[in-house]
Each structure stands twice: as C-alpha cells, then as structure tokens.
Amino acid sequence: MDVSVLVTIVVVTALIFDFTNGFHDTANAMATSIATGALRPKTAVALSAVLNLVGAFLSVEVAKTISGGLVDDAAITPAVVFGGLVGAIVWNLLTWYVGLPSSSSHALFGGLIGATWVAAGSDAVRFAKLAEKVLVPALAAPLIAMFAGMVATYLAFRITRRATASRTPRGFRIGQIASASMLSLAHGTNDAQKTMGIITLTMISAGSLPQGSGPPVWVIVSAGAAIALGTYLGGWRIIRTLGKGITDIGAPQGFAAQASATAVILTSSHLGIALSTTHVCSGGILGAGLGTPQAKVQWGTAGRMVLAWIITLPAAGLAGALAGVVAESGTFGTVVVAVVGLAFGLGIYLRSRRDVVGAHNVNDIPVEPIPGETVETTGGAAR
C-alpha cells in the first residue's frame, strides 16, 4: 500500500479514536454537574464540547511526549500505529458499553506499545519514559485527587455549616459550573494532545516530518474538533456511573471533586505528563464521597472501576499487538484490521440500543450494575 494512503488511513483512524475519547470521557468533566442539577444534561455536554476545543490550543507538551518519547519513532511504521489505534478504539468501545470509566489514554498507550513491541521488539519501547510519564502518574494521580477531593469536601462542609440549608446548594451549584468549565478546558488541553501526538508520530515515521517535530496547526485543529464532537454526543453510560454509581453527590461534593481534579490535570499538562483524566476525576469523586459525613460509597462499582484501570494497558496492548501484526503484513492485512474494527464498533452500537442511556435517564440511579447485563435503575429522569 502506498505510504501516503496508509498515512491518510492512520490519520482518519486517530481522529476516530479522538472522537471515542470525547464521548468516553465526557463524564470526567460533567458527571457531577449533571448529577447535582447544576447543569442540564444537554447544556453540560455542549459547554464541555466548546471548552474541550479551546483547551486543545493551549499546549502541545503532552503531544511531544507521545510523538517523541514513548516509542522509537524510527523503528515503527504507519501500519504499526494503525494497529495500535484499532486496539485502543476496541477497548474504548467495550468499556463504554459496560459503563466503566476506564482510561482512554492508557488504552491508547497500551495499543501503541503492544503494536510496537511485536513489530519492532522491546528495544523500540522506551520503558523508562513509560514509567516516568505514564505508570507512576497512573498510581499517584488518582490518590492525590482523592485526597484533595476528600479534604476539599470536608472544608466545604465545615465552612458552610452555619449557612442556611437553602442557600448553600445553590452557591455550590454556581461554583460547579465554573469548576466544570475549567475541568473541560483541562481535559481538552491534556487529552486532545494525545491524538495530536499519535498523528505527529505517524508523519515522522513516514518521513513527512523531521524527528522531534511538534504537531502542525491542522493536526491541532482537527484533533480539537474531533474530541469536541465526541464530547457533545455525550457518553451517557459513563456519566451515569460517575454521577450516580460511586457515591451520593451533592453540590458541595461535586464542586470539591471538580476543583481538585482540575488542579491535578492542569499541572500535569504543564509538565508534559500524559495523565489519565479518568483516573483523576474518578479519584476526586471517590474522595468527595469519603469526605462527606455518613456518605455511602458503592465499593462494588469502585472495585470494578479500579480493575478496569489495571487491565486497560495490557488488554489494549494485546489488542494492539494482534492488530499491528496483521496490519504490518501488507495491504490485505490492513484491510482486514479495518473491517474487523468497523464490525466490532457496529456490533457494540447495536447492542447498546437495547438499553439506551441518554439525557432523559442519565440521572437514574444504577443498582450495582453487572457488566453485560441490563442495568436496573431507581429514581427519576434527568432534569
């Protein structure tokens, strides 16, 4: 297959991944605001989409980490990157379907590393950089966000304990709109860059850009637009899990969780750390629940969520390795991977239509859902 055609296929696939990243991670910014009624569901996802687009233009440090840090760009081909992207998309769709807030970032890293490893050997994977920029932050960031969310929630209740019960929630809901907006901006700054980095890496591996290059302007614009579109469509299943499935979220807890997550994500973006915004936001929400007196935490849901975090890298890596080997075999292999990926995506979509979760019922409360089974809910429809 002509290199320019393959690069075009990879770029399109990268933007499809970016789109799935958008609807998979909408919950990170807006789940608590929707759960507390600070924003109506459709308004929340529209606001988040706009700010994700704006955030994509604020930094390229994370993009540089991916395009020139995790793997040896001289040892791989566009076909390898294509295989890694397909592996990441498959994992994103699967976890979206079962409503688990796994990390789109780690799915991307896992897919890319798996495809690179089988195609070019372990020497092509920069494990020191992987540990520094991905694995250590993956362990530390959710714990930091959880602690910050717990402390912020405790302080919020202490500071407002003498305020009237009717005024306190309203004030925090207004604060939630601001904190959710900042979180959406931070998400665009961090996550859109990952697709920019993948496209830039592809162009470097094909000889279209010199090594060490940053993303061109058209890459920044297209990646920002793709993640914004995915965000607008709303990942309602995961929004329900984060907003209603982990703990009881009121306006004070929602504000505290969003503010703590925003601080962690913006700091990591400035340092060029490809952080999982899902881990950070989920940690912030769990911390907010722990910081609330007599709050009930759904440990079963939290446990399944953590399990998904643990297996995301190896699972996406296995899928990326398989897809990368097939795609690297030539034109026929690339076509096979594309067809199988499209069929899988269509199958997931059709199954999701049997149990639709949308703006009309996103605030129904899941009763310890089991992946693959129909989710029973209690409570009223979303406001």
Side-chain angles (χ1 to χ4, degrees):
M1 182 179 291
D2 184 74
V3 174
S4 61
V5 174
L6 184 56
V7 168
T8 301
I9 292 174
V10 174
V11 169
V12 172
T13 307
L15 294 177
I16 292 173
F17 167 80
D18 205 22
F19 173 80
T20 68
N21 190 357
F23 73 71
H24 194 280
D25 287 7
T26 308
N28 294 344
M30 290 298 173
T32 58
S33 295
I34 293 172
T36 63
L39 289 168
R40 293 181 180 274
K42 286 290 188 181
T43 303
V45 296
L47 176 62
S48 185
V50 171
L51 291 171
N52 266 273
L53 177 60
V54 174
F57 292 89
L58 298 184
S59 174
V60 294
E61 293 305 314
V62 173
K64 290 179 179 177
T65 295
I66 294 172
S67 64
L70 296 181
V71 298
D72 183 357
D73 49 33
I76 62 174
T77 65
V80 172
V81 180
F82 174 66
L85 283 168
V86 172
I89 292 170
V90 165
W91 185 253
N92 257 3
L93 291 176
L94 182 61
T95 51
W96 164 79
Y97 173 68
V98 298
L100 282 176
S102 67
S103 171
S104 296
S105 304
H106 286 191
L108 178 61
F109 302 149
L112 178 62
I113 290 167
T116 299
W117 197 331
V118 298
S122 60
D123 289 342
V125 180
R126 293 171 176 162
F127 290 102
K129 184 67 70 172
L130 175 66
E132 175 191 355
K133 296 291 188 179
V134 178
L135 298 181
V136 172
L139 295 173
L143 296 176
I144 293 171
M146 183 173 66
F147 178 75
M150 183 169 58
V151 172
T153 301
Y154 173 78
L155 291 176
F157 278 106
R158 290 285 297 176
I159 292 170
T160 61
R161 68 185 185 278
R162 299 185 186 279
T164 60
S166 59
R167 294 180 60 185
T168 299
R170 182 175 180 274
F172 276 113
R173 287 193 186 104
I174 294 173
Q176 267 196 284
I177 297 174
S179 61
S181 298
M182 285 298 296
L183 189 50
S184 294
L185 193 71
H187 183 267
T189 303
N190 194 281
D191 276 40
Q193 289 189 62
K194 293 160 189 171
T195 298
M196 297 178 205
I198 287 294
I199 295 175
T200 304
L201 175 63
T202 302
M203 297 176 70
I204 291 173
S205 68
S208 301
L209 288 174
Q211 291 189 14
S213 297
V217 174
W218 70 267
V219 173
I220 297 174
V221 173
S222 58
I227 200 170
L229 180 59
T231 300
Y232 178 71
L233 293 181
W236 303 111
R237 292 171 179 271
I238 299 176
I239 289 174
R240 173 189 279 179
T241 299
L242 281 182
K244 293 292 185 180
I246 298 178
T247 187
D248 296 328
I249 291 289
Q253 297 99 314
F255 173 77
Q258 290 171 334
S260 58
T262 300
V264 174
I265 294 169
L266 285 178
T267 301
S268 71
S269 297
H270 177 71
L271 296 175
I273 299 173
L275 198 66
S276 168
T277 55
T278 300
H279 291 184
V280 174
C281 295
S282 301
I285 291 173
L286 184 57
L290 293 174
T292 304
Q294 299 180 337
K296 180 182 179 183
V297 175
Q298 300 288 349
W299 290 110
T301 300
R304 288 193 292 273
M305 184 176 68
V306 173
L307 178 62
W309 294 357
I310 294 171
I311 67 175
T312 289
L313 267 172
L318 182 61
L322 180 61
V325 166
V326 177
E328 185 77 349
S329 65
T331 301
F332 180 75
T334 301
V335 172
V336 168
V337 171
V339 170
V340 171
L342 289 172
F344 180 85
L346 179 61
I348 288 290
Y349 172 76
L350 292 176
R351 285 190 63 86
S352 73
R353 304 312 296 169
R354 299 179 184 179
D355 175 32
V356 177
V357 180
H360 65 290
N361 65 350
V362 69
N363 272 351
D364 289 354
I365 302 173
V367 183
E368 287 293 330
I370 299 174
E373 294 188 1
T374 301
V375 177
E376 296 180 0
T377 59
T378 61
R383 293 177 56 185

